[in-house]
Amino acid sequence: FQQIADQIMAEITDEGLKIEIADSKEDVFFEVGTANLKPSAYKMIEIIGKEISKLNNKVLIEGHTDSRSYSATGVGYSNFELSSDRANAARRALISGGMIPGQIEQVRGWADNRLKDPKNPYSEVNRRISIIVKYSS
């Protein structure tokens, strides 16, 4: 995974350890407009799931999109559904890697409401999955 190491970021937040996996110009984890993980992304998320399974912490999974719109009216399939579908695809890959389903506390779809690069709403870095390992209580 060395070729995609720059697409994985980790930081400590108020909720816990946030692991973000973002698209880049060279490599995408999802084809634009779909929630189908590419095989290399699926494998990487499985490995993350295997490591998280060793912990007792609860996990939140978030999906994010760029600002490309699906429906001008907002009535049809939108970035909310797409971001939720992508978060659920990551959830399935985490579980396939060995993460215990009961560790998952929430799956969130943020659409384009939390852009990583707000100055460039169509940037590939806005298309990402966040896996948050919550602090122990």
Side-chain angles (χ1 to χ4, degrees), residues 18-42:
K18 180 190 281 189
I19 304 164
E20 285 200 320
I21 305 163
D23 280 355
S24 74
K25 289 181 181 177
E26 294 79 34
D27 194 18
V28 294
F29 295 110
F30 298 96
E31 292 299 331
V32 174
T34 77
N36 300 323
L37 276 165
K38 287 189 164 188
S40 61
Y42 194 91

Side-chain angles (χ1 to χ4, degrees), residues 1 6-7 49 59 63 67 90 97 106 111 122 131:
F1 300 117
D6 62 329
Q7 294 171 253
V59 174
S67 292
Q106 192 173 42
Y122 301 109
I131 301 164

Side-chain angles (χ1 to χ4, degrees), residues 110-126:
W110 286 108
D112 62 343
N113 288 308
R114 294 190 173 188
L115 296 173
K116 192 80 167 172
D117 183 0
K119 291 181 181 175
N120 187 359
Y122 301 109
S123 172
E124 61 280 344
V125 299
N126 293 317

Side-chain angles (χ1 to χ4, degrees), residues 57-68:
N57 303 61
K58 292 290 187 181
V59 174
L60 308 174
I61 306 165
E62 299 177 335
H64 304 269
T65 65
D66 60 23
S67 292
R68 284 181 183 82

Side-chain angles (χ1 to χ4, degrees), residues 44-120:
M44 180 180 46
I45 294 172
E46 279 184 320
I47 291 168
I48 293 170
K50 180 179 179 183
E51 294 304 312
I52 293 174
S53 73
K54 299 173 185 175
L55 306 172
N56 292 324
N57 303 61
K58 292 290 187 181
V59 174
L60 308 174
I61 306 165
E62 299 177 335
H64 304 269
T65 65
D66 60 23
S67 292
R68 284 181 183 82
S69 181
Y70 278 93
S71 168
T73 64
V75 175
Y77 191 84
S78 71
N79 281 336
F80 280 106
E81 285 87 5
L82 180 60
S83 61
S84 296
D85 290 346
R86 288 179 172 180
N88 272 302
R91 177 190 57 80
R92 289 187 292 274
L94 288 165
I95 291 169
S96 176
M99 194 165 97
I100 301 156
Q103 280 183 274
I104 300 169
E105 185 173 87
Q106 192 173 42
V107 178
R108 305 172 180 167
W110 286 108
D112 62 343
N113 288 308
R114 294 190 173 188
L115 296 173
K116 192 80 167 172
D117 183 0
K119 291 181 181 175
N120 187 359

